[in-house]
Amino acid sequence: MSAAESMEFEASGRKGPWTQEGRTPKIAIIGAGMSGIAAVVKLRKAGYTDLTVFEKADRVGGTWRDNSYPGLSCDVPSYWYSFRFAPNPNWSHRFSYGPEIQAYMEDTAERFGVSKITHFNSAVTSLTYEAPQWRLVTQAGDTSFFDIIITATGILHQPVLPDTPGQSSFEGNAFHSARWDHSVDLTGKRVGVIGTGSTAAQIVGDIAGRVGKLSVFQRTAQWMVPLQQKTYSERWKRFLGWFPFVQTFLYHFYYQAMTRGIGGAVLGDQKSLKRIADLCVRNLFRNVPEGNLRDRLTPTYQAACKRLVLCSSFYPAICRETSELVTEGIDHISPEGVVTKDGRTHKLDVLVYATGFDPTAFILPTRVTGEGGVDLEKFWDGVPRAHRAMSVPGFPNFWMLEGPTGPIGNLSLITISEYQVDYMIDCFNHMKHHRAEAMTPSREAFDTYNQAIREAVPHTIWATGGCNSWYLDKNGLPNLYPWLPSQFRREMKRPIFSEYRLS
Ligand code: N01
């Protein structure tokens, strides 16, 4: 590079390779949800201190900030759904409610200095690789350069509304579960909920007792595991505060219980599957009297094919006199309410779409351009894939937390993010050791890994269980990690550096 070029380069805010200049890398983390928070805390501890977080909203929290629907809770046990570096002896319940998790996220972000380095209300609109750095542009048009990009944007953050004829003609209040309109009082109203997934189950369980009439539009019956909720006493919380090792034990206890209970089942372990199915059937039989309603609530596919719904309040709620399970199928929406295929109009004041999210979004719609001008959205073409769920060939120094084909299901995403951050740190250390400018998975490693996934997924319950779900991509293949969580943990502990190209 000539002296003039070098000056121009410097003036543009860009730098040479961090490993060769002997400085810590400038790292941008996109998203201040649970994985963004985990990234900041762990990277800083590992000596990577030049960190900037970009957050599209005005607060940290991610999914726990975006979702505020009534009944919002986490069906993963609290002591496991916690950062390892921030154990919380004060969880009030075995399964925490949304506001308490959001408070925990905010408190952790504050305590560990995440909020201080976060640019709020700063949606990132484009990321362009201009070797050896990434150009990052925000919605406000601000441009900056980073050596490493980490996306921590979550999986399910783009709400999906069905494209039902007449949708916009509805004269009542209508909103998606993740965009809850708290100005609407549901008391005594005629409320419709479309969907019966994990979200709808929690909403229905919460609101059934106070609305005037509840119509739940079910397309597919769900397998529902009872949720053994428990309130923790003040004395217990004090005890945990005095003896933190008990909490560590509980973290591992729930980790093992959940991963063994569900991890094996989804891979086709018949004993585990039967145990789960029996549990769900007992739950249904105990709560719903024999007859037409119970029949319509009985799934016709295998348990664990869709994400299991853990909820004890849905069945009692749907059995109330003021509730109705509607299974005739939605024909269209009229100004008065929902018209089903049998020609009946279900008159409504409020319509809630608990219809899920776009599982292919990840970092999109941010425009990501890698080496040679390759566009990530085009590269994925509606089927997002990554090497070990974290990186993509041709996109150097670009890492994803909770990226495509990572383990999800009924596991703690906090734990998964923490493993992934540890893996990334090993990779950054490796770059440093080799004074490398860029690190990217080789095309061969990416293909081999994704071929192994393609060969493994047809044997999972997601593919063989006879259901449709957001786990399936547009080719009908599960977009999930098809091996045991213990294998994922091992993979994350020891990166195989020969899978990467250093330059
Ligand atoms: O979304 P979903 P969700 N007409 O996609 C129905 C996580 N989560 O928001 O089954 C009629 O699961 C659809 O019907 P069908 C968890 O990972 C975690 O509930 O496709 N119905 C289904 O019933 C979960 O898996 C927690 O036939 C329509 C529902 O809408 C994920 O978020 C809590 C329809 C969508 O279910 C998403 O859950 C809550 C249409 N046109 C959520 N379109 C925890 O506790 C869709 N449906 C951690």
Side-chain angles (χ1 to χ4, degrees):
M1 198 184 278
S2 69
E5 279 169 341
S6 175
M7 272 171 64
E8 192 188 334
F9 187 72
E10 285 289 323
S12 70
R14 302 176 61 200
K15 294 191 167 155
W18 62 277
T19 50
Q20 289 161 31
E21 291 191 347
R23 57 186 172 82
T24 54
K26 263 181 80 124
I27 303 178
I29 296 155
I30 304 171
M34 55 193 155
S35 48
I37 295 171
V40 172
V41 176
K42 297 197 120 209
L43 282 164
R44 207 182 260 150
K45 191 159 179 237
Y48 294 95
T49 51
D50 192 347
L51 309 171
T52 309
V53 182
F54 293 86
E55 168 54 55
K56 67 177 180 197
D58 60 359
R59 278 187 307 153
V60 304
T63 193
W64 299 106
R65 175 203 59 225
D66 289 350
N67 285 280
S68 61
Y69 59 77
L72 174 68
S73 64
C74 184
D75 58 18
V76 178
S78 314
Y79 294 131
W80 186 31
Y81 201 83
S82 308
F83 298 106
R84 286 300 309 278
F85 54 81
N88 177 16
N90 295 317
W91 289 122
S92 63
H93 291 83
R94 181 183 283 154
F95 297 93
S96 297
Y97 290 99
E100 194 172 352
I101 303 177
Q102 175 60 15
Y104 171 72
M105 292 292 159
E106 290 182 15
D107 177 59
T108 308
E110 219 38 59
R111 270 175 59 208
F112 288 87
V114 180
S115 309
K116 254 192 240 155
I117 57 162
T118 302
H119 293 231
F120 290 103
N121 300 308
S122 290
V124 174
T125 51
S126 81
L127 293 163
T128 312
Y129 188 59
E130 295 175 9
Q133 289 192 299
W134 282 88
R135 176 195 290 267
L136 179 152
V137 182
T138 65
Q139 200 162 28
D142 296 330
T143 299
S144 38
F145 288 88
F146 292 91
D147 300 298
I148 293 171
I149 300 289
I150 299 172
T151 73
T153 43
I155 307 159
L156 302 174
H157 56 95
Q158 304 275 8
V160 166
L161 290 178
D163 196 11
T164 314
Q167 215 159 284
S168 59
S169 70
F170 181 59
E171 286 174 351
N173 299 100
F175 44 84
H176 189 273
S177 56
R179 301 287 180 268
W180 197 270
D181 184 346
H182 291 278
S183 68
V184 179
D185 181 7
L186 302 185
T187 316
K189 299 259 175 71
R190 298 167 302 180
V191 179
V193 175
I194 301 182
T196 49
S198 302
T199 299
Q202 293 180 347
I203 295 172
V204 168
D206 188 274
I207 66 173
R210 67 193 142 98
V211 301
K213 169 89 206 290
L214 181 62
S215 307
V216 179
F217 298 90
Q218 171 187 280
R219 192 164 63 179
T220 313
Q222 297 278 349
W223 289 93
M224 289 205 189
V225 179
L227 187 104
Q228 311 287 350
Q229 183 58 296
K230 181 184 164 123
T231 308
Y232 293 128
S233 68
E234 289 308 314
R235 187 194 284 197
W236 172 249
K237 292 180 208 167
R238 272 200 306 277
F239 172 76
L240 279 188
W242 291 330
F243 301 105
F245 65 88
V246 179
Q247 206 173 334
T248 308
F249 167 79
L250 289 169
Y251 178 97
H252 291 291
F253 170 79
Y254 284 116
Y255 175 95
Q256 292 299 334
M258 296 289 286
T259 54
R260 283 185 190 192
I262 294 174
V266 296
L267 302 189
D269 175 38
Q270 292 304 315
K271 245 167 119 182
S272 311
L273 277 172
K274 183 165 179 333
R275 205 170 37 240
I276 291 172
D278 288 349
L279 191 64
C280 294
V281 170
R282 269 202 308 277
N283 185 30
L284 176 65
F285 277 43
R286 246 183 228 150
N287 286 288
V288 183
E290 199 177 355
N292 179 273
L293 178 61
R294 191 199 278 177
D295 291 346
R296 289 184 298 137
L297 287 168
T298 305
T300 52
Y301 54 91
Q302 280 191 273
C305 178
K306 286 169 178 281
R307 184 187 188 275
L308 280 169
V309 177
L310 280 83
C311 184
S312 288
S313 54
F314 179 83
Y315 288 148
I318 202 71
C319 288
R320 296 177 82 98
E321 266 182 24
T322 47
S323 299
E324 183 184 6
L325 183 76
V326 183
T327 51
E328 279 71 22
I330 298 171
D331 183 73
H332 66 277
I333 293 179
S334 74
E336 286 181 294
V338 172
V339 183
T340 42
K341 294 211 165 109
D342 55 359
R344 197 175 143 207
T345 299
H346 302 262
K347 292 188 178 169
L348 301 171
D349 303 305
V350 182
L351 180 55
V352 177
Y353 291 95
T355 44
F357 301 83
D358 173 6
T360 65
F362 296 101
I363 177 70
L364 309 176
T366 300
R367 183 152 194 194
V368 185
T369 311
E371 280 176 324
V374 175
D375 180 84
L376 186 63
E377 191 169 3
K378 285 204 185 113
F379 180 85
W380 278 344
D381 190 22
V383 185
R385 289 291 181 266
H387 182 58
R388 301 202 183 276
M390 297 181 73
S391 57
V392 183
F395 293 79
N397 304 339
F398 176 81
W399 297 87
M400 288 176 284
L401 295 172
E402 306 300 345
T405 66
I408 32 178
N410 292 75
L411 306 178
S412 166
L413 291 191
I414 296 186
T415 301
I416 290 158
S417 297
E418 290 197 53
Y419 288 152
Q420 291 180 322
V421 178
D422 290 343
Y423 181 96
M424 277 179 348
I425 291 170
D426 284 345
C427 291
F428 301 164
N429 290 344
H430 182 70
M431 281 184 79
K432 197 155 113 184
H433 181 72
H434 290 275
R435 292 168 59 80
E437 172 176 323
M439 184 167 186
T440 177
S442 69
R443 181 72 211 209
E444 195 193 1
F446 171 87
D447 287 342
T448 305
Y449 182 76
N450 283 290
Q451 181 57 27
I453 288 187
R454 266 194 299 281
E455 284 166 14
V457 287
H459 307 292
T460 62
I461 193 71
W462 310 308
T464 59
C467 75
N468 194 5
S469 77
W470 67 264
Y471 289 168
L472 304 182
D473 66 23
K474 70 174 187 185
N475 300 324
L477 285 177
N479 184 16
L480 299 181
Y481 186 79
W483 300 291
L484 285 173
S486 52
Q487 180 168 331
F488 179 75
R489 190 175 167 187
R490 280 195 301 277
E491 267 180 47
M492 292 295 103
K493 272 190 180 289
R494 260 172 248 107
I496 302 168
F497 294 121
S498 57
E499 295 177 344
Y500 293 86
R501 187 163 60 79
L502 289 183
S503 54

